Amino acid sequence: MTARSAVHVHVVSKDGSKRQWLAPGDEVPSWASLDERNLQQTEEGASVRQSSSGSAEVPEPSRSGRGSGAEAWRAFAESRGVAVDADMSRDDIVAACERAGVVSTEG
């Protein structure tokens, strides 16, 4: 999972071969980078930051509602080094993250 745009923006790859319009909430492609001011804020108020390599630090997903699906949790787990399988459910992934100590068991 990559960072998410907070604004409508047109991104262009460094070599100009890739172009894409992003709407608020759209994932920022790995070949693009946005200024921190244009990245979606997490619930804690900190923006999702991109490393110098362009990959994003994935914030802990919500436990319910929008953004709480298996794919969000899979991306988070993988970014923290937690082993997950493609056939694991969201609850299985959350439990694996809890066992690994990367999230609180209290939610």
Side-chain angles (χ1 to χ4, degrees), residues 88-104:
M88 291 175 78
S89 71
R90 183 194 71 86
D91 292 340
D92 292 338
I93 297 168
V94 172
C97 289
E98 289 173 346
R99 286 191 301 274
V102 297
V103 296
S104 168

Side-chain angles (χ1 to χ4, degrees), residues 12-75:
V12 180
S13 64
K14 286 184 180 182
D15 66 2
S17 65
K18 299 176 185 173
R19 299 170 182 269
Q20 184 174 343
W21 277 102
L22 301 176
D26 286 350
E27 288 185 10
V28 178
S30 61
W31 50 264
S33 65
L34 293 180
D35 184 280
E36 185 173 327
R37 295 169 295 170
N38 296 324
L39 295 175
Q40 202 170 56
Q41 301 292 309
T42 63
E43 289 180 20
E44 294 79 28
S47 63
V48 177
R49 299 182 190 279
Q50 287 185 299
S51 69
S52 59
S53 66
S55 62
E57 295 175 14
V58 180
E60 181 178 337
S62 174
R63 300 267 178 141
S64 63
R66 186 175 185 189
S68 65
E71 289 308 311
W73 276 97
R74 182 171 287 104

